[in-house]
């Protein structure tokens, strides 16, 4: 089974200026879970002064924990955020570790060496609380500030993070620089050093290669794909990077290929109405919601 992890309530909403009402966020999370989505990143534990869009994350964790079978995860930027996440009751948390030091200093104000120390401290908090801890290797495929990011640097920093206590890794195409051949090379190189702890791709569709990159990852054994409903999101600290992989398009591709996701595509598409009502005028992306599934979609799923 392929795990489609919905990151819109965090990565999507942090990238727009408006704040979605708490009731609408809860409706969104509940509706996606009802459609069969098994993991949702409900928000991030950052200071509300920096991202007021995330100020209600603790309340969302409390709500999402009441939904049977839903894995409730959140992003944390540092030790303080990790402590807040644990107190709120998350099942899992992840920390972004930028492979571009320039981006790291801009995003979390820490050098690579400082981030390794922070990862070790967060890992200790997670172990003590019995919370799953993942590290997102962001800007792994390139950076709008530095350009190309050397593959050996990504591998070296992944190993250092593993030694510091990371239980799981994702490779993040923060800036939409990845291509399918690069995805294959980098997944192989990182997995050769950290093994099955590399499970996830976090892809952006900035240049239209999101689904192609997802397929390349699947062919290399990736089992989890992050996506955002309506393609909301990007990175506020990576100029020109906008648009996550569209959950609806990803689920259509996976289901029609006969890969099991457990997600009802028609119910998933209906969730868009919650976003459209709560964020009027906000662009929502995706081909599948407009075109609809193929006439033989359900037959394809059965094969």
């Amino acid at each position: 089974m392929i795990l489609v992890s919905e990151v819109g309530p965090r990565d999507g909403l942090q990238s727009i200026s408006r704040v979605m009402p708490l009731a609408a966020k809860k409706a969104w999370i509940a509706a996606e879970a009802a459609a069969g989505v098994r993991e949702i990143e409900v928000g991030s534990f950052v200071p509300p002064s920096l991202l007021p869009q995330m100020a209600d994350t603790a309340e969302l964790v409390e709500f999402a924990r009441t939904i049977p079978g839903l894995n409730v995860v959140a992003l944390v930027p540092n030790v303080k955020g990790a402590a807040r996440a644990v107190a709120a009751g998350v099942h899992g948390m992840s920390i972004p570790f930028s492979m571009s030091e320039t981006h790291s200093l801009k995003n979390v104000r820490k050098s690579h060496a400082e981030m390794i120390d922070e990862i070790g401290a967060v890992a200790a908090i997670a172990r003590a609380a019995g919370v799953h801890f993942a590290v997102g290797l962001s800007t792994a495929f390139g950076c709008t500030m530095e350009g190309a990011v050397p593959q050996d640097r990504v591998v070296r920093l992944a190993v250092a993070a593993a030694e510091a206590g990371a239980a799981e890794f994702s490779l993040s195409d923060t800036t939409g620089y990845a291509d399918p051949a690069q995805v294959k090379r980098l997944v192989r190189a990182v997995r050769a050093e950290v093994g099955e702890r590399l499970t996830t791709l976090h892809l952006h569709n900035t240049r239209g290669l999101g689904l192609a990159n997802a397929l390349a990852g699947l062919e290399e054994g990736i089992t989890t794909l992050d996506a955002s409903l309506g393609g909301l999101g990007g990175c506020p600290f990576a100029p020109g990077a906008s648009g996550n992989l569209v959950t609806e398009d990803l689920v259509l591709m996976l289901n029609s290929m006969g890969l099991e996701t457990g997600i009802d595509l028609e119910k998933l598409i209906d969730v868009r109405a919650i976003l459209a009502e709560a964020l009027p005028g906000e662009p929502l992306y995706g081909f599948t919601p407009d075109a609809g599934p193929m006439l033989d979609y359900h037959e394809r799923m059965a094969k």
Side-chain angles (χ1 to χ4, degrees):
M1 177 176 275
I2 305 301
L3 176 62
V4 175
S5 181
E6 174 61 59
V7 300
R10 194 277 304 174
D11 199 6
L13 294 182
Q14 77 169 19
S15 303
I16 63 176
S17 58
R18 286 181 289 177
V19 177
M20 179 182 273
L22 178 60
K25 291 182 182 181
K26 289 181 176 180
W28 177 3
I29 292 167
E32 279 217 29
V37 174
R38 294 175 289 126
E39 179 174 283
I40 300 178
E41 188 178 49
V42 300
S44 62
F45 286 91
V46 298
S49 59
L50 294 178
L51 283 176
Q53 303 94 320
M54 301 288 106
D56 53 11
T57 297
E59 294 170 273
L60 284 172
V61 170
E62 182 181 11
F63 168 76
R65 282 289 305 258
T66 67
I67 301 174
L70 181 64
N71 193 41
V72 182
V73 299
L75 181 140
V76 300
N78 49 36
V79 169
K80 289 183 179 179
R84 291 175 59 206
V86 166
V90 297
H91 294 123
M93 57 187 175
S94 65
I95 191 170
F97 182 21
S98 181
M99 303 293 93
S100 156
E101 195 155 38
T102 305
H103 182 265
S104 183
L105 290 167
K106 184 73 172 178
N107 191 33
V108 294
R109 301 175 185 174
K110 286 184 172 61
S111 67
H112 282 160
E114 290 170 327
M115 276 303 301
I116 292 297
D117 291 341
E118 198 78 14
I119 287 167
V122 173
I125 292 172
R127 280 195 302 271
V131 169
H132 187 72
F133 174 51
V135 171
L137 304 173
S138 56
T139 66
F141 299 94
C143 173
T144 52
M145 300 172 192
E146 289 189 7
V149 173
Q151 179 174 291
D152 60 352
R153 181 198 299 170
V154 179
V155 173
R156 173 174 54 81
L157 292 175
V159 170
E163 292 172 349
E168 186 178 9
F169 288 97
S170 69
L171 288 172
S172 300
D173 186 21
T174 313
T175 57
Y177 270 35
D179 65 67
Q182 185 188 19
V183 168
K184 286 176 171 286
R185 289 194 302 269
L186 193 54
V187 169
R188 289 173 188 168
V190 174
R191 272 205 157 171
E193 298 298 326
V194 304
E196 299 302 309
R197 278 183 281 189
L198 173 58
T199 62
T200 304
L201 286 179
H202 178 98
L203 300 169
H204 286 205
N205 201 41
T206 312
R207 293 169 177 82
L209 294 175
L211 288 178
N213 291 334
L215 185 58
L218 292 173
E219 290 173 350
E220 292 299 322
I222 289 294
T223 55
T224 301
L225 294 164
D226 291 351
S228 177
L229 195 78
L232 284 176
C235 177
F237 301 109
S242 60
N244 282 284
L245 191 60
V246 177
T247 308
E248 303 94 309
D249 289 345
L250 176 63
V251 170
L252 172 76
M253 182 184 81
L254 297 174
N255 285 356
S256 63
M257 289 173 65
L259 299 173
E260 188 178 356
T261 65
I263 299 173
D264 184 312
L265 178 62
E266 288 87 348
K267 289 182 179 179
L268 182 69
I269 291 172
D270 288 343
V271 183
R272 287 169 68 97
I274 297 172
L275 275 64
E277 181 179 354
L279 301 169
E282 193 67 41
L284 296 177
Y285 303 96
F287 293 101
T288 301
D290 291 333
M294 312 82 154
L295 288 177
D296 65 343
Y297 166 72
H298 291 284
E299 287 78 7
R300 294 185 186 205
M301 288 180 62
K303 290 181 180 179

